Amino acid sequence: VQLQASGGGLVQPGGSLSLSCRASGNILNTNAMSWYRQAPGKERELVASITSGGSMNYADSVQGRFTISRDAATVYLQMSSLKPEDTAVYYCNFFIISGLGVGGDYWGQGTLVTVSS
């Protein structure tokens, strides 16, 4: 199983950016999908998550500005009204049941989002 994230880049404060992360491989089922981020010198933190049933959860710092969505194999993060403090490497995380029936956490490679004028 592999996760491939894309969509990071440089954006001005107040701008918008979209991230996506797609899972591939021997997958039976994908349960929760999440986005985390890690800013320089800080610990990794949960940004948003979405269950297989569509229930969403957001960090207080992004509530109302970020929107998480998903389909069977891909999670998306629509980010708007971006602030310099949103600058970080963003990682996707899926809980996947593999075709062998084994469940586990999988991480994408990270994509850098830089918010700067």
Side-chain angles (χ1 to χ4, degrees):
V1 175
Q2 291 186 328
L3 302 188
Q4 180 67 46
S6 61
L10 173 65
V11 63
Q12 292 187 343
S16 299
L17 203 61
S18 294
L19 307 180
S20 64
C21 180
R22 179 177 174 81
S24 61
N26 187 14
I27 298 170
L28 180 63
N29 189 33
T30 302
N31 292 340
M33 297 179 176
S34 305
W35 286 98
Y36 288 75
R37 67 185 181 187
Q38 187 166 20
K42 295 187 177 181
E43 293 186 353
R44 191 172 296 189
E45 63 175 354
L46 176 66
V47 176
S49 63
I50 184 167
T51 67
S52 57
S55 296
M56 296 167 282
N57 181 54
Y58 295 95
D60 289 344
S61 59
V62 306
Q63 182 76 43
R65 300 187 298 119
F66 291 12
T67 302
I68 190 170
S69 60
R70 63 175 287 171
D71 59 28
T74 305
V75 67
Y76 306 91
L77 188 67
Q78 175 65 42
M79 304 181 291
S80 60
S81 302
L82 283 160
K83 305 175 182 180
E85 51 263 44
D86 294 317
T87 295
V89 177
Y90 284 70
Y91 298 90
C92 54
N93 171 270
F94 290 12
F95 187 85
I96 290 174
I97 309 296
S98 75
L100 300 177
V102 178
D105 273 317
Y106 292 85
W107 291 89
Q109 82 281 13
T111 184
L112 177 63
V113 172
T114 303
V115 184
S116 175
S117 55

